[in-house]
Amino acid sequence: MHRVSLAHPADFSGWRAYVRQCIAQDIAPDEVEWAIEPPADLFASQAKRALPSAAIDLRIPRWLASLIAAALQSDAPDRFTALHRVVADLHVGTNGLDDGSDTQLPYLRALSHQAHVATQDLRNQFLHAITFRTLDAGPVITADSSNVLAGQRHILTQLAAEPWRIRTPGLSIDWDGRTCRIGNGAGEPCHAGPENEYWNGIPAIMLPTDDESIAHTASLDELRTKAADCRRCPLWEPATRTVFGEGSRSARLMFVGEQPGDQEDLAGHPFVGPAGRLFDEILARAGIPRDACYITNAVKHFKFTPRGSRRIHQKPDADEMRACLPWLAAERRLVKPQVLVMLGVTAATSVLGRSVTISRERSRAIPLDDGCTGIVTVHPSFLLRVPDADTKARETQRFEEDLRMAWQLLD
């Protein structure tokens, strides 16, 4: 048997990573023994976890991924194996997902419903406690530990504005509106160590990733790992993944776009869709090697509206841009570019911290607070939307000239 240890009963990240590894190594679902072995620091950042990675082409429909994530939060003892079997069958094309004949689907939906009922019950307890108990004393909720873990997304995203306290037989959680402090059922710390800050003897753990933690990240790799689990705004939930910046770690030229698009969201890389391919073409014409640049976005998750089988791009709002700003600031701090090109209004607004009109700001050197020189231009997606051929040629030429200007400013 192949033994796999998960951090907690609703450890979707760990389960997903190990399932990918098992499929890559041809390990059958019935050959895997799933165990729950919580680390000393149960709510530690994902950056501290050594999860396996497997280079396999595993494509799961969005509706099925959502169903799996929900079903995993149930308390059925065989859920890890059952969900592993669904994904393994999908990978080799032996299930009936396309025609709805897969016999596992009713079971998955039942697990999902069970988890939903448990989570809603927990949420109702929170609302009841916050409504009918004083915050001075602190609301106290008694619930099964597994349901607490399964409902943590709702707790932190829907109820994080109010201080609250959970007490279960084996777990305690105290939330003061910013910091989540974890202990055992008696309120004692889960573990001790000089690296932890203490409040009433309980180790301080930040959920979600706070501005200070992002600002003190020491490397791009660590920053990328932290961003992968970003929950700072609601965009993470419908998106496939965080799409982080890529390129030279010591690039003198940085490009900042708006947000990942549909293809970027699926691929996990910035500027790989139609606008990205056009950007590459014009970049090459301007004599700028892409691998000498660092390319990122002001917002790291794809914002969209479903329309049939398509996902229609939506412009990020001010709160979403503000939530993502610490990630962009940390990228700039670590890369230290000499010239930063802002592609479009969203990027310019995020970098300059004010309302921007492209026509007024475009094609001029703008001194930035960190000593970098900024240049505002259009986003390459704008060029794709220009209907008139002559206008498109003229705007494309002007965009190329903006890129040449940025490159020349390095000298």
Side-chain angles (χ1 to χ4, degrees), residues 332 337-342 348 351-354 365-376:
R332 292 174 59 186
Q338 294 178 22
V339 177
L340 187 151
V341 180
M342 294 158 267
V351 172
L352 299 178
R354 55 179 171 81
I366 303 174
L368 302 180
D369 292 342
D370 59 358
C372 177
T373 299
I375 294 179
V376 173

Side-chain angles (χ1 to χ4, degrees), residues 39-44 48 182-184 188-198 201-205:
D41 188 349
L42 179 62
F43 281 70
K48 299 179 181 179
I182 313 302
N184 62 21
E188 299 169 346
C190 292
H191 71 293
E195 73 280 3
N196 292 310
E197 299 175 7
Y198 284 86
I202 303 176
I205 302 164

Side-chain angles (χ1 to χ4, degrees), residues 106-163:
Y107 181 57
L108 295 191
R109 292 192 175 100
L111 295 184
S112 175
H113 178 71
Q114 179 192 85
H116 174 74
V117 170
T119 302
Q120 287 298 109
D121 180 65
L122 177 60
R123 183 174 184 273
N124 290 336
Q125 290 187 56
F126 267 91
L127 293 175
H128 179 83
I130 291 174
T131 302
F132 294 104
R133 299 189 184 211
T134 64
L135 290 177
D136 291 337
V140 178
I141 297 99
T142 301
D144 178 73
S145 298
S146 63
N147 287 343
V148 169
L149 291 169
Q152 62 179 302
R153 177 192 303 174
H154 295 270
I155 294 168
L156 293 176
T157 59
Q158 298 182 25
L159 300 166
E162 301 286 351

Side-chain angles (χ1 to χ4, degrees), residues 236-251:
W236 70 271
E237 193 160 12
T240 305
R241 58 176 60 83
T242 302
V243 181
F244 203 70
E246 293 181 351
S248 172
R249 298 164 188 259
S250 57

Side-chain angles (χ1 to χ4, degrees), residues 382-383 386-397:
F382 163 76
L383 304 176
V386 178
D388 178 74
D390 291 339
T391 305
K392 182 173 184 177
R394 185 169 60 252
E395 289 294 337
T396 300
Q397 179 61 34

